[in-house]
Amino acid sequence: MGLLATLLIFGVSLSLASAERPMRRSLVFPMETDNSYVELVPQKDLDMGAFTLCMRVATELAEGNREIILFAYRTLYHDELNVWREADGRYGLFMSGDGVLFHLPELNTFQTHLCLTWDSKLGMAAFHVDGKRSIRKVYKPGHKVQKGGKVILGQDPDSFLKDFQSKQSFIGEITDVNMWDYVLSDAMIEALHVGKRMPRGNVFDWETIELIVNGNVKVITEEL
């Protein structure tokens, strides 16, 4: 009877453990549109003098000469913080005007872990692709990201949450979007790439983030 009770207890424990396994949400943008996007609701205002932005992204659009919007933060009058794959294949960070561009390994149908860091003090900006850092470039030292806007995935708003262009829309899959209001070290970003637990994003935490879906976007949930 003691053994049976033990087995029953283990059975319950295993069931509970299974029920409590962490889940991952992925966003699938299946087609080119001018109205499909996902708004991310931040945990705190994007009022920042530094940041780290990470995501896992897969797309086949990079095989052609086409702009691809990867992340858009728009305030009332400015593209406050946008991340693009340009038509010429370079990747860029744009904050309220001209951007800084990088030559990176191309995105493809397999998931790429893509991170971007920037710090106002020295203006150091860099991309990280699957845990490997690009060269650093100086971009807008002394600048500050302003609060009061909206963050969306899938579209580039030419005005506040409207005026989308289908030829700039994202097609593919995005998951694990996390953001910190400070710069993570190279070692921490490399650890994130291989799935190690790190301090959770204090601006966006993908495990708990609120998503507002508009249009034809599929939200897929799966066990980690």
Side-chain angles (χ1 to χ4, degrees), residues 57-211:
V57 57
T59 181
E60 296 180 346
L61 287 175
E63 296 174 0
N65 297 324
R66 182 187 184 280
E67 293 178 314
I68 308 169
I69 186 65
L70 298 173
F71 182 91
Y73 173 48
R74 172 82 190 194
T75 53
L76 189 58
Y77 299 111
H78 299 287
D79 290 326
E80 195 68 31
L81 197 172
N82 282 11
V83 183
W84 285 92
R85 187 270 192 183
E86 297 289 296
D88 64 7
R90 292 181 296 171
Y91 290 77
L93 166 64
F94 295 81
M95 295 193 297
S96 302
D98 293 340
V100 59
L101 298 169
F102 294 78
H103 291 278
L104 302 177
E106 195 62 279
L107 298 175
N108 56 63
T109 194
F110 300 106
Q111 218 172 65
T112 296
H113 187 241
L114 185 69
C115 292
L116 172 61
T117 62
W118 173 80
D119 172 37
S120 175
K121 185 175 181 180
L122 296 177
M124 290 292 106
F127 277 88
H128 295 247
V129 179
D130 289 338
K132 296 180 179 179
R133 180 177 55 77
S134 70
I135 62 170
R136 296 183 179 100
K137 294 189 177 184
V138 177
Y139 178 60
K140 292 202 170 182
H143 180 75
K144 188 174 183 180
V145 179
Q146 301 297 313
K147 63 183 179 180
K150 299 285 188 181
V151 172
I152 67 172
L153 303 177
Q155 298 283 349
D156 170 44
D158 289 330
S159 57
F160 198 61
L161 281 189
K162 59 182 180 179
D163 297 333
F164 302 129
Q165 299 180 39
S166 60
K167 291 298 182 182
Q168 295 177 332
S169 65
F170 177 81
I171 305 172
E173 185 172 343
I174 296 176
T175 188
D176 280 354
V177 183
N178 293 282
M179 191 174 203
W180 298 257
D181 61 0
Y182 55 92
V183 173
L184 297 183
S185 69
D186 291 358
M188 293 174 77
I189 292 175
E190 187 174 1
L192 276 173
H193 162 58
V194 298
K196 293 183 180 179
R197 300 288 292 183
M198 287 289 114
R200 290 161 68 165
N202 64 348
V203 179
F204 295 119
D205 173 9
W206 192 248
E207 291 186 19
T208 60
I209 195 171
E210 179 183 353
L211 306 174

Side-chain angles (χ1 to χ4, degrees), residues 5 12 14 24 32 38 45 55-56 87 95 118 123 136 148 170:
V12 171
L14 289 172
R24 173 183 290 166
E32 185 174 277
V38 176
D45 289 335
M55 64 180 71
R56 298 185 191 273
M95 295 193 297
W118 173 80
R136 296 183 179 100
F170 177 81

